[in-house]
Amino acid sequence: MLKIYNTLSRKLEEFRPIKKGKVGMYTCGPTVYDYDHLGHAWCYFNSDVLRRVLEYQGNEVKQVLNITDVGHLTSDGDTGEDKLEKAAKAGGKTAREIADYFTEIYFINRKKMNFLEPAVICRATDYIPEMIELVQTLIDKSYGYEISDGIYFDTSKFPHYGLLSGNTLDKLKEGARVEINPEKKNHTDFALWKFSPAGDSRQMEWEAFGRQGFPGWHIECSAMSMKHLGKTFDIHTGGEDNIFPHHECEIAQSESASGVKFVNYWFHTRFLMVEGEKMSKSKKNFYRLQDLEEKGFLAMDLRYLFLMAHYRSQLNFTWAGIEGAKIARAKLMNFVAGIKETGKVNKGFKNKFLELLNDDLAMPQVMALVWEVIKSDLSDKDKKATLLDFDRVLGLDLAKAEEEEIPEEIKAIAEKRWLAKSAKDFAQADELRQEIEDAGYIMEDGKEGYKLRKI
Ligand SMILES: [Zn+2]
């Protein structure tokens, strides 16, 4: 039986889905106003592993991922500018263009990291009517009240406020994170809906509650998750920075509207550190996947590095660490590529594998087990079968081991050369062939295609 850590109860719990064999899982997605960095990748990686483990154990997982393209303000206390509108102004683009650009990059990176495609991907701006309806329900049930800059949630009416984060009403002092708004009934009250400031027109605004406005940051996740997964669903994932205020507020507004429990298991990934330090703008250590690629690492090297850490421990990203991961992954890929036949999955190793997964996703130990399989006295073909079976969770694409040795840029040049040759542009074809050879690869032409290999 799978055990995972539930932030809500603060303990390890056996995972039991509401409907046997079916799991509803909501993953808090990115706010698409900037490039996603390694911290994001680490968080989505852990959601991906959790989903893969559940699927490996025979569950059908419906994963819903949102894209926040409106309403996330620069301050957690419902003040400041909308992150999208701010980025749009700074970049001389529309908020829609900014959102579309960073959403595209986010999905390219997901693909490179081999994250499984969510069943539903929802953009906040496509669910405005659902959000308005939810806010209206909260007003009707007198949880929502109106002040001059928007509609707020009255946290004093929700007794469980603080259960997830430990931030109870008494404990939470008005301070840096929650800015003072004298009109709010309680300092912890948060915006369900904001009115567009008078005299300042926004690019994204909607007519509701008698004037122009836009959603508060938290309401989208409640509206979209309940629409696709029902009022109560199994798992909600996110980074530890989402616990408060985002997830605490999601629970308050969802449960107040529905009258039932919102989510059974809250799964949070701890922060990623860079060279032992917190990521920060001043340290310029918000590394992106592209920064790694420029230094010769692939997304799958990062995936390997992530696999060696546990979701509840702070992962310390270092350049030495990613170098080690790259070497280890190459060894693993070469080992699998060197075995032509596939045999049978070894039961003993599979049981050990399951035991480790069930133990709160003990991935570092799982990676040690991978090397135990390689060093074991199993036949090569059984080793390969066992590793390919594990790979359904690891997601390292071991089955593609042979192709993997050829870098993407070489494949792209080869493709270009093949087209040039087909078009009888032999001068360009020769030039490109030379380029490939200079990079240490050789292209062997056949009648209907070509093969690439290392020299
Ligand atoms: Zn969310």
Side-chain angles (χ1 to χ4, degrees):
M1 176 74 79
L2 173 65
K3 275 188 185 169
I4 49 171
Y5 184 82
N6 189 352
T7 309
L8 191 62
S9 65
R10 290 174 185 73
K11 57 182 187 224
L12 281 180
E13 284 181 26
E14 285 188 350
F15 176 73
R16 289 175 207 280
I18 299 163
K19 271 192 209 138
K20 203 166 184 273
K22 289 198 191 297
V23 178
M25 176 173 173
Y26 185 85
T27 297
C28 263
T31 302
V32 282
Y33 72 107
D34 201 351
Y35 293 103
D36 49 313
H37 53 64
L38 297 190
H40 297 120
W42 165 234
C43 191
Y44 297 116
F45 161 81
N46 284 308
S47 303
D48 184 66
V49 167
L50 175 61
R51 172 174 160 192
R52 284 172 179 270
V53 169
L54 289 163
E55 290 183 345
Y56 183 82
Q57 301 190 345
N59 296 286
E60 199 183 296
V61 181
K62 180 176 178 184
Q63 187 183 16
V64 178
L65 173 81
N66 72 297
I67 300 293
T68 301
D69 57 357
V70 69
H72 191 167
L73 303 187
T74 47
S75 136
D76 284 342
D78 300 320
T79 58
E81 283 180 89
D82 184 307
K83 288 184 177 183
L84 260 301
E85 303 253 340
K86 189 182 170 194
K89 270 185 213 156
K93 297 214 163 76
T94 65
R96 182 75 275 145
E97 282 166 347
I98 294 280
D100 289 348
Y101 174 72
F102 289 114
T103 303
E104 197 187 327
I105 291 180
Y106 172 73
F107 280 103
I108 291 172
N109 289 342
R110 277 190 70 95
K111 212 165 178 182
K112 285 184 182 171
M113 291 296 294
N114 204 20
F115 297 158
L116 298 174
E117 185 92 351
V120 181
I121 295 161
C122 36
R123 291 198 311 189
T125 47
D126 291 333
Y127 292 80
I128 299 294
E130 285 83 352
M131 295 184 217
I132 293 171
E133 198 186 313
L134 189 55
V135 174
Q136 188 59 55
T137 304
L138 289 166
I139 296 171
D140 295 344
K141 290 189 162 189
S142 55
Y143 288 102
Y145 65 94
E146 185 174 328
I147 57 175
S148 58
D149 74 342
I151 294 163
Y152 282 73
F153 183 90
D154 185 347
T155 47
S156 68
K157 292 203 167 144
F158 184 68
H160 292 322
Y161 192 83
L163 211 59
L164 183 75
S165 63
N167 289 329
T168 55
L169 284 178
D170 312 335
K171 265 207 248 165
L172 265 185
K173 292 274 174 287
E174 228 167 334
R177 292 201 76 182
V178 183
E179 284 169 35
I180 298 161
N181 180 340
E183 286 182 71
K184 290 202 296 191
K185 289 184 184 171
N186 313 284
H187 59 259
T188 43
D189 293 358
F190 56 90
L192 295 166
W193 190 265
K194 293 274 287 187
F195 298 132
S196 300
D200 183 17
S201 78
R202 285 174 49 95
Q203 293 182 24
M204 295 209 230
E205 55 184 359
W206 293 265
E207 172 81 34
F209 312 106
R211 49 222 269 206
Q212 292 293 312
F214 60 100
W217 169 32
H218 319 298
I219 199 77
E220 59 163 288
C221 285
S222 292
M224 296 189 288
S225 61
M226 292 197 287
K227 168 147 184 154
H228 291 293
L229 298 169
K231 286 175 181 168
T232 306
F233 59 91
D234 299 301
I235 306 175
H236 195 310
T237 76
E240 66 172 329
D241 53 333
N242 288 146
I243 298 173
F244 188 85
H246 189 49
H247 291 162
E248 191 74 72
C249 297
E250 272 187 47
I251 294 175
Q253 62 198 9
S254 305
E255 297 191 356
S256 300
S258 72
V260 292
K261 191 177 183 185
F262 179 42
V263 170
N264 287 335
Y265 302 87
W266 287 89
F267 177 88
H268 290 106
T269 295
R270 283 206 73 188
F271 281 134
L272 175 132
M273 308 280 279
V274 171
E275 302 281 358
E277 294 188 283
K278 238 183 135 168
M279 282 192 286
S280 75
K281 286 221 168 76
S282 61
K283 297 212 173 77
K284 294 198 172 63
N285 58 2
F286 279 105
Y287 293 134
R288 294 164 45 198
L289 195 50
Q290 204 193 337
D291 296 318
L292 269 59
E293 288 170 342
E294 278 167 12
K295 289 189 189 254
F297 300 105
L298 294 176
M300 294 306 259
D301 297 327
L302 185 63
R303 188 166 177 112
Y304 191 99
L305 181 80
F306 285 171
L307 282 166
M308 292 193 292
H310 190 256
Y311 74 95
R312 285 200 290 127
S313 63
Q314 257 174 0
L315 169 64
N316 185 21
F317 173 87
T318 63
W319 290 108
I322 187 85
E323 185 65 46
K326 181 183 175 173
I327 294 167
R329 189 179 74 87
K331 268 192 201 165
L332 174 60
M333 297 302 276
N334 284 337
F335 176 81
V336 176
I339 306 166
K340 296 293 162 232
E341 278 175 74
T342 310
K344 279 195 192 128
V345 177
N346 180 271
K347 271 197 184 143
F349 278 119
K350 189 179 172 97
N351 287 341
K352 182 77 190 148
F353 181 65
L354 276 168
E355 209 177 283
L356 291 171
L357 297 179
N358 284 341
D359 182 16
D360 194 27
L361 316 179
M363 299 317 286
Q365 290 82 345
V366 162
M367 291 314 283
L369 185 69
V370 164
W371 291 99
E372 264 180 54
V373 171
I374 293 175
K375 287 177 196 142
S376 72
D377 50 15
L378 292 184
S379 69
D380 273 356
K381 54 184 189 178
D382 285 359
K383 285 181 187 175
K384 182 168 179 169
T386 307
L387 293 172
L388 289 181
D389 179 61
F390 288 6
D391 198 43
R392 287 160 58 202
V393 171
L394 308 181
L396 290 170
D397 259 352
L398 295 181
K400 290 187 191 156
E402 278 160 286
E403 298 166 32
E404 179 66 24
E405 286 175 78
I406 314 288
E408 286 302 321
E409 59 265 29
I410 302 295
K411 286 189 202 164
I413 302 170
E415 200 52 40
K416 240 165 110 184
R417 183 187 160 268
W418 185 253
L419 287 175
K421 196 186 162 208
S422 310
K424 304 209 184 314
D425 182 352
F426 298 113
Q428 208 208 350
D430 283 349
E431 209 174 286
L432 292 168
R433 172 192 284 276
Q434 194 55 50
E435 215 178 299
I436 292 166
E437 287 186 7
D438 290 346
Y441 297 87
I442 198 153
M443 197 167 164
E444 292 166 347
D445 295 346
K447 265 188 197 154
E448 274 153 61
Y450 57 86
K451 260 190 109 171
L452 271 171
R453 63 177 176 82
K454 255 188 175 163
I455 294 176

